[in-house]
Amino acid sequence: MKALDGIKILDFTHVQSGPTCTQLLGWFGADVIKVERPGVGDATRKQLIDKPGSDSLYFTMLNHNKRSLTLNTKTDDGKEVLERLIKECDVMVENFAPGALDRMGFTWERIQELNPKMIMASVKGFGPGPYEDCKVYENVAQCAGGAASTTGFRDGPPLVTGAQIGDSGTGLHLCLGIVTALFQRERSGRGQKVLAPMQDSVLNLCRVKLRDQQRLDAGPLKEYSQFGEGVAFGEATPRAGNDSGGGQPGRILKCLGWENDPDAYTYFITQAAVWKNICDVIGKPEWKDDPDYATPDVRLNKLNEIFDTIEAWTMTKDKFDVMDICNPLNIPVGPILSMKELAEEPALRDTGTIVEVDHPERGKYLTVGCPVKLSDSEVDVTRSPLLGEHSEEVLAMLGYSETDISAMRESGAI
């Protein structure tokens, strides 16, 4: 038994944010019916193609564990099929442009008439307000949600992160909202709307920076490098380079081989509780009791010197050797792992965090697996569907005969 066995998802999403959400629901056992335009499908099927004649990795890695139904909702037959799907399914997930469903004739009120228990989940760029009708993409969300203004170095421009916190991050938030609404429906018997704006999701992931914005009212942020360098703070949370956000000073430092390996680095945190261990490891035992170094407060204006000294030690060690030496001493460190290293890591294969999938058009490829592990609901990652692969299967489930399906194919409804 899977956690969401018996739950049917009507998936009207495309690109990344919505498909991330519905893929998670599929991994947890829901029956996800992805509705796509006949002959076209999700735009990402043909974006960033690496193998001609097959769906892109962009599409395949976001649409596992789904069935594909092609449907032209502008036709009468297409509208009728959609009505049956709404009656049959538990959740509709969409990331259309604002107002698109209304223009199709499927307002929230109409959906409730067809299925009072329906949960309608939507991804939008912004919540209600002056920008609610604006289109938003990944990097726009990172900028509008506060991530870019607080990422990068103080003397450089704002930066976006390689982690897809705008799209995939919003998909994760929306999935949580859907599962919560399903849980509430068990008690209330009613459906409801679930909204996950991308700006809101990014801001939620930037909460420690909003924390620091408020702390500025009480004075400078002492754990930021610029405090120790005597640089005044402005009115907004600044970019902090690779400083730690948890109050314990931390930075990315070079390791052995950094000259030729762009990922020969480690993240090193000078946690106060293990300061004496750090001093022993880096060959500075005299710092343990020196009044100029012994406490966190007096070290704040010497962080550049301290991390330069630590880096002189890490540059003599492989990044994994740094881990092996520091972890037994409870010193928090972590190697900078490349995508190549992660793809080849056996432990991630063993846990299903990275899986190999066989596709009829492109052959074997690697993809991320479910990041959430349930002890009583094992996840099987199945390949993404071909365009319209399950149209007949889904229509038969809705009660259409072979003759009906043939007629709809001829009319262009599917």
Side-chain angles (χ1 to χ4, degrees):
M1 181 179 179
K2 300 292 180 69
L4 295 181
D5 271 347
I7 298 296
K8 288 186 172 62
I9 309 295
L10 178 52
D11 183 2
F12 262 111
T13 70
H14 53 283
V15 190
Q16 186 179 165
S17 55
T20 296
C21 169
T22 52
Q23 180 170 258
L24 276 166
L25 296 169
W27 280 340
F28 291 140
D31 178 11
V32 180
I33 302 167
K34 184 177 180 73
V35 180
E36 302 183 76
R37 283 194 298 160
V40 179
D42 189 314
T44 59
R45 282 187 182 269
K46 302 306 173 188
Q47 286 183 357
L48 306 176
I49 289 288
D50 62 309
K51 286 193 175 183
S54 69
D55 290 329
S56 70
L57 286 169
Y58 196 4
F59 175 83
T60 58
M61 293 177 70
L62 286 160
N63 290 283
H64 297 109
N65 297 60
K66 301 180 184 181
R67 297 196 283 174
S68 173
L69 163 70
T70 51
L71 188 65
N72 183 354
T73 56
K74 293 181 180 179
T75 67
D76 290 339
D77 285 341
K79 283 186 171 63
E80 184 193 328
V81 171
L82 180 51
E83 286 192 1
R84 291 199 192 187
L85 282 167
I86 291 171
K87 291 176 181 177
E88 178 73 19
C89 292
D90 300 278
V91 182
M92 175 192 283
V93 190
E94 60 90 16
N95 59 347
F96 289 125
L101 271 176
D102 292 354
R103 291 190 294 273
M104 289 166 55
F106 291 92
T107 62
W108 170 234
E109 290 73 23
R110 176 60 179 150
I111 290 169
Q112 284 184 303
E113 287 176 9
L114 293 168
N115 183 355
K117 299 181 72 174
M118 172 64 78
I119 292 161
M120 191 175 82
S122 303
V123 173
K124 293 292 178 277
F126 294 93
Y131 306 114
E132 60 184 305
D133 293 331
C134 295
K135 282 189 175 181
V136 173
Y137 297 91
E138 171 64 48
N139 288 352
V140 175
Q142 289 194 31
C143 293
S149 71
T150 57
T151 302
F153 288 90
R154 187 177 66 249
D155 55 356
L159 291 176
V160 296
T161 173
Q164 303 292 285
I165 61 174
D167 275 323
S168 288
T170 301
L172 291 166
H173 284 89
L174 187 65
C175 183
L176 172 62
I178 289 169
V179 173
T180 303
L182 284 169
F183 182 77
Q184 184 175 357
R185 192 181 72 175
E186 290 298 304
R187 293 174 293 172
S188 70
R190 299 190 307 274
Q192 61 180 300
K193 291 197 289 185
V194 179
L195 174 64
M198 295 172 73
Q199 182 188 43
D200 298 31
S201 297
V202 172
L203 180 56
N204 184 47
L205 296 174
C206 292
R207 65 181 66 185
V208 298
K209 298 301 182 179
L210 183 61
R211 172 204 69 189
D212 290 348
Q213 179 63 46
Q214 297 171 87
R215 290 174 59 222
L216 276 172
D217 293 339
L221 306 173
K222 294 183 178 181
E223 80 281 8
Y224 280 53
S225 294
Q226 73 180 76
F227 172 76
E229 296 168 7
V231 178
F233 284 78
E235 294 181 345
T237 306
R239 291 184 277 286
N242 289 316
D243 288 349
S244 170
Q248 303 286 342
R251 293 190 190 174
I252 290 178
L253 306 177
K254 298 171 183 173
C255 291
L256 186 67
W258 68 272
E259 300 93 338
N260 300 310
D261 181 355
D263 298 303
Y265 291 83
T266 189
Y267 198 89
F268 198 108
I269 298 175
T270 56
Q271 187 177 23
V274 292
W275 173 246
K276 292 185 177 182
N277 291 347
I278 294 170
C279 294
D280 287 335
V281 164
I282 64 174
K284 286 288 184 180
E286 66 272 20
W287 280 359
K288 290 191 287 188
D289 299 312
D290 187 326
D292 289 332
Y293 294 89
T295 63
D297 287 344
V298 299
R299 291 195 291 268
L300 288 174
N301 64 354
K302 304 177 187 69
L303 289 179
N304 285 342
E305 176 197 358
I306 290 169
F307 279 112
D308 284 347
T309 304
I310 297 171
E311 187 172 59
W313 175 77
T314 61
M315 287 171 64
T316 68
K317 309 293 179 186
D318 177 276
K319 63 187 179 184
F320 297 107
D321 291 336
V322 173
M323 269 193 92
D324 291 341
I325 293 168
C326 291
N327 277 329
L329 299 172
N330 294 320
I331 300 171
V333 297
I336 307 306
L337 296 178
S338 69
M339 284 297 130
K340 184 176 186 296
E341 289 170 313
L342 290 167
E344 295 172 353
E345 172 55 55
L348 296 177
R349 306 283 188 101
D350 292 342
T351 59
T353 299
I354 289 180
V355 298
E356 188 174 70
V357 180
D358 199 2
H359 191 276
E361 292 178 343
R362 65 178 305 116
K364 293 185 183 298
Y365 66 95
L366 282 186
T367 186
V368 294
C370 186
V372 181
K373 322 298 186 192
L374 302 180
S375 65
D376 204 29
S377 182
E378 187 175 345
V379 172
D380 301 307
V381 177
T382 61
R383 67 167 175 85
S384 61
L386 302 177
L387 180 61
E389 181 176 353
H390 304 95
S391 292
E392 293 186 11
E393 181 179 295
V394 172
L395 291 171
M397 177 194 77
L398 295 174
Y400 288 98
S401 68
E402 291 185 11
T403 303
D404 295 332
I405 296 170
S406 296
M408 280 192 275
R409 220 177 261 292
E410 289 179 12
S411 70
I414 60 172

